[in-house]
């Protein structure tokens, strides 16, 4: 410990630059993690936020609400499955709207019949709708009291935002949870030639004693046209989610390799540079274990300092919005990357530690160094 700290004090600039480099890499990793989570949430946040435990799409919908059309016959067949306690229609469409006196913009309407079958599951502000004409909006896009008017026919509906839900967008679009009657009116206003409005999915709640997974299996066994999913599956298996995660995982892998490589190469070079001093220390009686521990202490200090710097840079950035993507400070991600990078950093120091262990004290009398 004494040797490690003494060398750190004597080479403050060198070790400081390494800490800064590691800190920058940690900052980039955590920022990419926040962007991934924010992007995925903007795609499927409304699916996660809705209250129905099970959603049933049609098999040709690619597990998207807008691509699914559930016929009345299929809806009846699904509702009659053994273990279904309640069923309700869910629909989702994007409309051109005006919010107050602002210019026209797009908003997704997430229509549901019952609060417990597709309504927003938890609010960040305001209250739940009491009936038609009221809505819960995604909190990054709306404020309580906003009046949202659908652009269309003269009788196009308008809703008032009475509550806000966190992380509740769908398809990276401002989202409103509305009653089925308002959703139906909006669809008919946007498409006056339509006769009926069919749901994009059927929301199910299982009976007591029936798990969500069991109900999913029963529904899928009953009809080849039905594609039943739990709420988590519907969010995780939505089109685009897996591709986004795979793309970011490649980036994380590269970052995860860079940090230990940079750290390991640095300490290997340092070991080469101070080979004569290490040999002399061994010659005067310093144990090889003491020198290795000193090296590992330096690795912990460098990686730990980099983690502190990177997290400090990440914290304020995680509170901002990037376009319509809302970033969050993820404590779990910070802990995960801290443990992983510290472990990789210590592992990368093995080569340098092996050189320390290979030092022969006899070489001090011949002017040799580490082999």
């Amino acid at each position: 410990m004494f040797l490690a700290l003494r060398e750190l004090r004597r080479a403050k600039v060198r070790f400081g630059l390494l800490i800064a480099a590691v800190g920058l890499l940690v900052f980039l990793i955590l920022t990419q993690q926040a962007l991934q989570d924010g992007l995925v949430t903007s795609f499927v946040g409304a699916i996660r936020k809705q209250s129905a435990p099970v959603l049933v799409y049609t098999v040709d919908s690619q597990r998207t609400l807008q691509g699914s059309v559930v016929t009345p016959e299929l809806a009846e067949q699904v509702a009659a499955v053994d273990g279904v306690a309640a069923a309700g229609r869910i629909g989702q469409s994007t409309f051109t709207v005006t919010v107050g006196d602002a210019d026209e913009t797009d908003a997704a309407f997430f229509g549901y019949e019952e609060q417990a079958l597709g309504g927003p599951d938890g609010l960040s502000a305001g209250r739940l709708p009491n009936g038609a004409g009221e809505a819960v909006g995604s909190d990054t896009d709306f404020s309580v009291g906003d009046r949202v008017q659908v652009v269309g026919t003269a009788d196009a509906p308008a809703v008032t935002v009475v509550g806000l839900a966190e992380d509740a967008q769908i398809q990276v679009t401002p989202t409103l949870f509305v009653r089925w009657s308002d959703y139906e009116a909006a669809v008919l206003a946007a498409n006056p030639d339509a006769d009926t409005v069919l749901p994009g999915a059927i929301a199910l709640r299982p009976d007591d004693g029936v798990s969500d997974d069991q109900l999913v299996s029963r529904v899928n066994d009953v009809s080849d046209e039905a594609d039943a999913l739990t709420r988590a599956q519907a969010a995780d298996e939505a089109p685009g989610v897996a591709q986004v995660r795979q793309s970011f995982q490649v980036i994380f892998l590269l970052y995860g390799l860079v940090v230990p490589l940079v750290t390991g190469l640095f300490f290997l070079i340092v070991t080469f540079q101070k080979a004569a001093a290490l040999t002399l220390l061994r010659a005067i009686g310093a144990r090889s274990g003491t020198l290795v521990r000193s090296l590992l202490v330096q690795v912990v200090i460098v990686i730990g300092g980099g983690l502190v710097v990177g997290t400090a840079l990440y914290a304020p950035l995680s509170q901002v919005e990037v376009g319509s993507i809302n970033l969050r400070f993820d404590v779990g991600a910070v802990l995960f990357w801290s443990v992983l990078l510290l472990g990789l950093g210590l592992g990368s120091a093995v080569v340098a530690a092996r050189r320390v262990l290979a030092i022969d004290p006899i070489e001090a009398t011949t002017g040799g160094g580490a082999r």
Side-chain angles (χ1 to χ4, degrees):
M1 186 67 154
F2 171 78
L3 290 174
L5 296 178
R6 186 174 183 84
E7 186 174 5
L8 286 172
R9 285 196 298 269
R10 294 183 60 183
K12 292 188 291 290
V13 174
R14 182 169 59 188
F15 283 96
L17 289 175
L18 180 60
I19 290 174
V22 173
L24 181 59
L25 288 171
V26 171
F27 166 70
L28 292 175
I29 291 172
L30 295 176
T31 300
Q32 294 289 337
Q33 181 79 57
L35 285 172
Q36 174 199 261
D37 295 342
L39 187 58
V40 170
T41 298
S42 295
F43 271 115
V44 296
I47 301 296
R48 292 175 177 169
K49 205 68 180 181
Q50 62 83 32
S51 56
V54 175
L55 296 177
V56 183
Y57 301 102
T58 53
V59 292
D60 58 353
S61 66
Q62 297 184 341
R63 296 177 173 176
T64 62
L65 280 172
Q66 283 190 309
S68 179
V69 179
V70 180
T71 63
E73 293 77 16
L74 180 58
E76 292 180 4
Q77 190 176 10
V78 168
V81 171
D82 182 39
V84 173
R89 294 173 291 181
I90 285 181
Q92 184 252 314
S93 295
T94 301
F95 305 100
T96 300
V97 301
T98 57
V99 182
D101 298 328
D103 295 335
E104 293 182 0
T105 187
D106 291 333
F109 275 36
F110 193 98
Y112 62 94
E113 283 192 287
E114 296 183 28
Q115 171 58 39
L117 290 171
D121 187 15
L123 301 178
S124 59
R127 61 174 176 82
L128 291 170
N130 292 325
E134 296 183 340
V136 169
S138 48
D139 63 358
T140 58
D141 309 295
F142 299 99
S143 300
V144 173
D146 282 347
R147 181 173 176 78
V148 182
Q149 174 69 56
V150 176
V151 176
T153 60
D155 58 347
V159 295
T160 300
V161 177
V162 297
L164 301 175
E166 186 179 56
D167 297 334
Q169 285 187 344
I170 193 167
Q171 297 177 348
V172 201
T173 304
T175 302
L176 292 162
F177 287 85
V178 300
R179 291 290 186 173
W180 182 261
S181 58
D182 291 320
Y183 173 75
E184 192 173 38
V187 172
L188 295 175
N191 185 13
D193 295 331
D195 295 327
T196 58
V197 178
L198 297 178
I202 300 299
L204 301 179
R205 185 173 68 251
D207 277 324
D208 293 339
V210 178
S211 69
D212 297 346
D213 290 327
Q214 288 175 329
L215 185 58
V216 164
S217 179
R218 293 180 186 181
V219 172
N220 288 332
D221 289 340
V222 164
S223 174
D224 293 334
E225 298 180 16
D227 185 12
L229 302 164
T230 64
R231 175 167 53 179
Q233 290 172 338
D236 293 340
E237 299 179 18
V241 172
Q243 290 78 1
V244 168
R245 285 178 172 159
Q246 288 172 0
S247 298
F248 276 95
Q249 283 171 0
V250 173
I251 297 173
F252 294 147
L253 176 62
L254 293 175
Y255 281 137
L257 292 174
V258 168
V259 171
L261 286 176
V262 169
T263 306
L265 183 60
F266 173 84
F267 282 102
L268 182 59
I269 293 173
V270 169
T271 304
F272 270 114
Q273 290 177 340
K274 60 181 184 180
L278 291 173
T279 304
L280 182 60
L281 286 172
R282 290 285 287 118
I284 62 176
R287 296 175 180 271
S288 58
T290 301
L291 299 179
V292 170
R293 284 195 297 272
S294 175
L295 174 66
L296 296 180
V297 167
Q298 290 177 347
V299 173
V300 171
I301 291 174
V302 167
I303 299 293
L307 289 168
V308 171
V309 171
T311 304
L313 293 173
Y314 161 69
L317 182 68
S318 65
Q319 307 302 315
V320 304
E321 295 179 19
V322 180
S324 59
I325 300 175
N326 200 18
L327 304 184
R328 292 281 188 275
F329 185 91
D330 189 343
V331 177
V334 173
L335 293 176
F336 170 80
W337 283 106
S338 296
V339 174
L340 179 62
L341 294 178
L342 185 59
L344 291 174
L346 289 172
S348 70
V350 169
V351 176
R354 286 171 61 88
R355 290 194 58 80
V356 173
L357 292 173
I359 293 174
D360 184 359
I362 302 300
E363 294 181 0
T365 63
T366 63
R371 293 178 294 183

